[in-house]
Amino acid sequence: MRYGSKFSITPKSNELKIKDIRFLTKDKGFIIVQLKDKQFFFTFDNQNGLKLIEKIKQDNVDEKD
């Protein structure tokens, strides 16, 4: 079962990529964003908006692509 609507962003640069979006409920979830050699782990919800949880360097991340 999917919550919320489809999330689509088309960046103008190839340096910004949305790696994954996971919904916990229809208005709460997680996003992993890659910018150059770093990945950022965010949470989002209707009350607090977008919040950065963790910044990860690329050499600490196993690449699945």
Side-chain angles (χ1 to χ4, degrees):
M1 181 177 196
R2 291 214 77 170
Y3 293 99
S5 60
K6 276 209 162 194
F7 201 120
S8 176
I9 295 178
T10 307
K12 293 182 180 179
S13 169
N14 289 337
E15 296 176 349
L16 178 67
K17 295 179 183 175
I18 301 207
K19 300 297 272 187
D20 200 7
I21 299 172
R22 298 292 171 146
F23 288 93
L24 298 175
T25 65
K26 73 175 194 171
D27 56 357
K28 292 183 181 182
F30 301 102
I31 301 175
I32 298 177
V33 176
Q34 182 173 344
L35 180 62
K36 296 184 181 180
D37 63 342
K38 297 182 179 97
Q39 289 192 0
F40 300 90
F41 182 62
F42 293 95
T43 62
F44 64 89
D45 62 36
N46 283 345
Q47 292 177 345
N48 298 319
L50 192 64
K51 183 177 179 183
L52 176 65
I53 300 297
E54 184 78 29
K55 181 170 75 171
I56 307 163
K57 287 187 176 181
Q58 187 64 30
D59 54 345
N60 295 338
V61 177
D62 291 334
E63 191 64 38
K64 293 182 181 179
D65 294 334

